[in-house]
Amino acid sequence: MEKHKVNKYEIINVMSLKTTNSPKSIKSAAVALRNGYLVAFPTETVYGLGSDATNGSAVARVYAVKGRPSEHPVIVHISSLSRVELWATEIPNYALKLAKSFWPGPMTLVLRRQSLAKNFITGGQNNVALRVPSHPIAIELLLEFEKLGGLGVAAPSANRFGKVSPTTALAVEIELGKYLSDSDQILDGGPSQIGVESTIIDCTQVTPLILRPGGITVEMIEKVLDIKLDNGSTPSKGIKVPGMLASHYSPIAKVFLSGTPSPGDGYIAMAGIPTPEGIIRLASPKDNDDYAHLLYESLRSADRQGLKKVFVVQPDNQGVGTAINDRLIKAANN
Ligand code: TXA
Ligand code: MG
């Protein structure tokens, strides 16, 4: 295990420990969570900033570190479907089918809340968002936390409010390091495999409604449920629609989805598309999955290089393409 002190808090590299059953560093992170501290951890989508979902002051610190307004709800991460009933009162049949098909994985279900899901988790709504992540370190952390009596880990993406989600431990450190305390931790699990946030599905109505597109696509959901989703329907009354602020997922550089770049501007486009003269190529993904995987890190790299403008050739809407385009449109709105 590689373990080193960085600034005031610890970054623990657990990459080499993936194959062992119970890495010591993950245990110590679970203890930190139980004691009310924050643990940033890898998931297959993006890195999350975790806290004990039953501890109001720990969750309040997550909001403070992110600079996020307190009325925003946060996703509760659990280790398996069997723990849903702790947090939700009802799970409709279609939601159960989705959970059995896509958990652990990049999908979040919004369900009617149990009393355990306090207003500081739900943003005052009667619903709670739940996810079982598939990243081995995330699952291990949740299991260790549950062994200590923990019931769920509240974790938004580990970035400052309105900014690009982190897909590496280093990105978390750079963005949030100065807000973390000595006892908080960052678990390093390497780059997030998917690279965009989970699909969020409202399961409080008769039929499912996608609130945020992600790795689990409309086509995948329709196939499993054998239905056609109504994309025109609106969220149930009073539900907060995620990431619906006009501007979100924004780097410091201005993002353009059309127009012509000038020398010195950044450029993101599929591998087959050549780079215009004098333009700084930030990513050349080979397909939509690769695009999702590279997108946030390439936007961060634009900021690291001090670029003012990034021009993006959008992917098509196949598979995760819908989620990429959703994020790009919001990133371009800053
Ligand atoms: O992939 C992901 O979902 C990552 C990883 C860490 O799990 N998490 C994530 O969390 O993206 P966050 O907080 O950055 O985005 C979650 C979105 C927020 O926009 C929030 O408003 C919405 O989900 N949300 C959370 N609870 C909700 C609820 N009960 N009803 C409706 N929307 C909810
Ligand atoms: Mg976020």
Side-chain angles (χ1 to χ4, degrees):
M1 177 176 60
E2 191 188 312
K3 182 171 170 177
H4 49 274
K5 213 59 182 162
V6 181
N7 296 333
K8 296 182 348 227
Y9 57 92
E10 282 183 305
I11 289 200
I12 299 171
N13 189 326
V14 287
M15 278 294 275
S16 55
L17 298 171
K18 258 193 205 164
T19 51
T20 62
N21 284 332
S22 185
K24 247 167 104 183
S25 56
I26 297 181
K27 272 197 176 136
S28 104
V31 170
L33 282 175
R34 220 34 205 135
N35 289 335
Y37 296 106
L38 309 189
V39 173
F41 62 98
T43 84
E44 70 281 18
T45 58
V46 299
Y47 275 67
L49 181 62
S51 64
D52 181 341
T54 63
N55 181 336
S57 48
V59 175
R61 269 204 67 228
V62 168
Y63 282 76
V65 167
K66 275 186 69 81
R68 187 192 220 201
S70 61
E71 72 278 8
H72 281 243
V74 67
I75 299 170
V76 177
H77 296 70
I78 49 179
S79 67
S80 70
L81 173 58
S82 66
R83 299 185 75 90
V84 162
E85 59 194 31
L86 288 170
W87 292 94
T89 48
E90 303 158 30
I91 176 157
N93 268 333
Y94 70 80
L96 195 60
K97 248 187 189 164
L98 291 173
K100 285 185 175 159
S101 305
F102 301 121
W103 274 351
M107 179 185 73
T108 297
L109 300 181
V110 175
L111 298 162
R112 294 264 171 243
R113 70 167 164 182
Q114 277 284 10
S115 55
L116 187 61
K118 300 286 187 254
N119 286 341
F120 60 77
I121 288 295
T122 70
Q125 306 178 99
N126 280 329
N127 309 316
V128 62
L130 300 174
R131 177 157 110 83
V132 179
S134 66
H135 195 293
I137 293 172
I139 285 289
E140 192 69 38
L141 177 67
L142 292 169
L143 288 171
E144 289 297 333
F145 180 65
E146 288 166 3
K147 267 191 216 161
L148 300 171
L151 299 173
V153 172
S157 51
N159 52 280
R160 293 286 284 172
F161 181 63
K163 297 294 175 193
V164 178
S165 296
T167 53
T168 64
L170 187 64
V172 178
E173 185 205 348
I174 292 169
E175 189 151 333
L176 299 184
K178 59 176 173 286
Y179 305 102
L180 296 176
S181 80
D182 284 351
S183 308
D184 299 328
Q185 294 187 21
I186 300 173
L187 291 174
D188 185 351
S192 294
Q193 187 202 341
I194 296 175
V196 293
E197 305 81 353
S198 63
T199 306
I200 303 183
I201 308 170
D202 174 9
C203 298
T204 63
Q205 306 188 82
V206 188
T207 50
L209 179 66
I210 298 180
L211 300 177
R212 177 177 74 181
I216 302 298
T217 63
V218 176
E219 298 77 35
M220 290 160 84
I221 296 167
E222 288 181 337
K223 191 163 177 217
V224 157
L225 299 181
D226 197 17
I227 56 165
K228 201 84 192 129
L229 285 186
D230 177 7
N231 293 323
S233 58
T234 46
S236 49
K237 210 167 161 283
I239 202 158
K240 292 188 176 153
V241 181
M244 281 300 154
L245 298 170
S247 157
H248 220 88
Y249 312 108
S250 303
I252 298 164
K254 205 160 165 40
V255 175
F256 294 86
L257 304 182
S258 59
T260 313
S262 305
D265 290 341
Y267 194 61
I268 299 171
M270 279 298 185
I273 302 173
T275 312
E277 185 82 24
I279 305 303
I280 299 159
R281 188 70 175 236
L282 297 167
S284 306
K286 58 181 189 307
D287 54 31
N288 285 5
D289 286 343
D290 199 29
Y291 205 126
H293 179 68
L294 298 175
L295 178 64
Y296 288 159
E297 194 45 38
S298 56
L299 292 175
R300 278 175 193 282
S301 135
D303 286 349
R304 280 196 300 271
Q305 296 178 61
L307 306 189
K308 298 277 182 295
K309 296 179 182 176
V310 176
F311 285 77
V312 181
V313 180
Q314 291 179 251
D316 61 30
N317 275 324
Q318 292 303 306
V320 76
T322 309
I324 299 169
N325 285 319
D326 168 74
R327 308 310 191 269
L328 281 174
I329 289 163
K330 285 175 186 130
N333 233 330
N334 62 347

